[in-house]
């Protein structure tokens, strides 16, 4: 049944999106969640190990339908295929910016990072969304960060270029997400407006035993820092991984060892305790 292919209706200019049957039921659920306020954001702090400050808090989308939680790895791809990610992405940007505003007002001037999909960046309206957001929000744009996968930085389409330029011009910072998973060449690194590189969890997972992962982490960290970028390691789960990573020169760490992504209401008290 999983391979049954059907054509779904058109959303946001995707005339015929081909969805598998199980994806169709997810699309159904996404609509349901939109109608019932089932979307929320959790925030995962990233710790800067050079001064023990909070480097950023990453906003991660959650989707609830009744008692069921849909994992992002299942619903994000469907939201991308159907174009729903554009509306969801606008909501995420607004909500995350609002969170950053609130944190700032309560004594936590921390960046909030938002994941942005290709479909959002190929939509010309992304610029306007951003501008509208920065007009209505008193938030300093430097407290908003966009996380994009490598391929988006190599994208030569005019819409993507313009949207990225507009974000940088507006004062937002850009991070390369999931670095090292995209089989890309390194040449593009010297020409892109990102000031942060997030090393994918695959390089952290098998530390400290895997010496090859360690060599890669060291080399990439050195390279990125020489290019003026900050390096974050994702998916830190154990004290041994922490110890090993501290010896590589990475600037910041993110992972369950510090905290799982937190619901909005728990983030502030976590940040306050961490400062304590
Ligand atoms: P990502 O951007 O790479 O986000 C990091 C993922 O790693 C999150 O999964 C986070 O919960 C998880 N994680 C953090 N620390 C650890 C750890 O120590 N161990 C392990 N095993 N995992 C850890 P999550 O929240 O399930 O999100 C999965 C992916 O869904 C994200 O990967 C991102 O690509 C996408 N996503 C989530 N929220 C959004 C969103 O608002 N917009 C877009 N476009 N994509 C999103
Ligand atoms: Ca991310
Ligand atoms: Ca990532
Ligand atoms: Ca990812």
């Amino acid at each position: 049944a999983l391979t049954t292919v059907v054509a779904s209706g058109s959303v946001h200019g995707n005339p015929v999106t081909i969805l598998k049957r199980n994806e169709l039921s997810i699309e159904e659920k996404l609509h349901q969640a939109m109608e019932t306020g089932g979307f929320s954001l959790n925030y995962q702090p990233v710790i800067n190990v050079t001064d023990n400050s909070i480097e950023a808090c990453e906003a991660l989308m959650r989707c609830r339908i009744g008692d069921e939680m849909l994992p992002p790895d299942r619903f994000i791809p469907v939201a991308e295929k159907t174009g729903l990610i554009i509306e969801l992405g606008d909501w995420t940007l607004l909500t995350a910016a609002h969170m950053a505003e609130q944190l700032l007002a309560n004594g936590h001037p921390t960046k909030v990072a938002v994941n942005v999909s290709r479909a959002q960046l190929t939509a010309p309206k992304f610029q306007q969304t951003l501008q509208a957001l920065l007009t209505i929000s008193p938030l300093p744009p430097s407290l908003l960060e966009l996380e994009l996968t490598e391929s988006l930085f190599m994208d030569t389409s005019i819409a993507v270029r313009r949207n990225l330029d507009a974000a940088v011009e507006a004062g937002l910072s850009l991070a390369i997400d999931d670095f090292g998973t995209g089989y890309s060449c390194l040449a593009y690194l010297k020409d892109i407006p990102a000031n942060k590189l997030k090393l994918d969890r695959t390089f952290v997972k098998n530390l400290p035993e895997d010496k090859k992962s360690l060599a890669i982490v060291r080399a990439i960290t050195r390279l990125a820092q020489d290019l003026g970028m900050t390096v974050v390691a994702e998916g830190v789960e154990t004290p041994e991984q922490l110890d090993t990573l501290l010896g590589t020169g990475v600037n910041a760490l993110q992972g369950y060892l510090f905290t799982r992504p937190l619901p909005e209401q728990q983030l502030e008290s976590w940040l306050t305790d961490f400062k304590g």
Side-chain angles (χ1 to χ4, degrees):
L2 294 186
T3 53
T4 311
V5 174
V6 289
S8 103
S10 96
V11 196
H12 291 289
N14 289 353
V16 182
T17 308
I18 305 298
L19 293 177
K20 296 190 181 113
R21 184 182 286 169
N22 63 325
E23 292 179 331
L24 236 136
S25 80
I26 292 177
E27 186 187 8
E28 195 87 351
K29 287 175 181 171
L30 289 177
H31 284 290
Q32 232 172 302
M34 280 171 138
E35 281 155 24
T36 57
F39 288 99
S40 59
L41 296 180
N42 279 0
Y43 296 88
Q44 189 178 36
V46 179
I47 289 83
N48 189 316
V49 291
T50 55
D51 60 0
N52 229 33
S53 63
I54 300 298
E55 171 69 27
C57 294
E58 180 177 3
L60 293 157
M61 214 189 294
R62 296 293 176 260
C63 178
R64 174 190 292 280
I65 306 104
D67 288 339
E68 185 193 7
M69 295 295 296
L70 277 185
D73 290 337
R74 289 187 62 208
F75 77 79
I76 297 280
V78 176
E80 286 173 341
K81 269 197 191 180
T82 55
L84 288 172
I85 194 68
I86 297 186
E87 196 177 333
L88 280 174
D90 285 359
W91 173 84
T92 301
L93 270 169
L94 271 166
T95 309
H98 192 251
M99 185 75 230
E101 247 173 67
Q102 192 184 312
L103 289 174
L104 178 62
N106 295 336
H108 304 285
T110 173
K111 260 185 204 188
V112 172
V114 175
N115 293 285
V116 179
S117 296
R118 151 168 278 105
Q120 292 172 266
L121 282 174
T122 50
K125 113 181 207 300
F126 185 78
Q127 268 184 70
Q128 281 97 285
T129 304
L130 218 53
Q131 256 129 34
L133 170 71
L134 294 171
T135 309
I136 57 168
S137 166
L139 186 74
S142 60
L143 290 181
L144 207 50
E145 187 161 81
L146 306 182
E147 297 195 2
L148 319 158
T149 51
E150 294 171 78
S151 63
L152 275 170
F153 286 103
M154 291 180 282
D155 196 303
T156 52
S157 70
I158 290 170
V160 172
R161 282 284 163 113
R162 286 212 178 121
N163 283 332
L164 284 184
D165 289 346
V168 172
E169 248 163 68
L172 277 68
S173 52
L174 306 183
I176 313 175
D177 203 359
D178 304 339
F179 185 85
T181 58
Y183 304 103
S184 56
C185 68
L186 294 172
Y188 81 101
L189 284 179
K190 67 180 172 41
D191 301 315
I192 61 167
N195 36 31
K196 184 178 290 181
L197 182 154
K198 298 188 79 175
L199 267 170
D200 193 73
R201 190 167 72 86
T202 48
F203 301 112
V204 174
K205 214 169 47 189
N206 300 318
L207 295 180
E209 292 79 16
D210 183 4
K211 301 300 172 216
K212 290 186 179 174
S213 286
L214 183 59
I216 293 173
V217 171
R218 280 217 181 90
I220 292 175
T221 299
R222 176 73 199 278
L223 170 70
Q225 288 172 344
D226 284 352
L227 291 169
M229 284 187 263
T230 302
V231 178
V232 179
E234 300 186 305
V236 184
E237 294 181 349
T238 70
E240 292 76 23
Q241 289 172 342
L242 169 65
D243 276 351
T244 310
L245 287 164
L246 288 177
T248 61
V250 295
N251 304 87
L253 302 172
Q254 176 177 11
Y256 296 165
L257 179 65
F258 302 98
T259 173
R260 294 201 168 237
L262 298 162
E264 193 180 309
Q265 318 82 269
Q266 289 172 28
L267 178 63
E268 259 187 59
S269 60
W270 191 93
L271 292 173
T272 304
D273 289 351
F274 182 80
K275 246 200 247 173

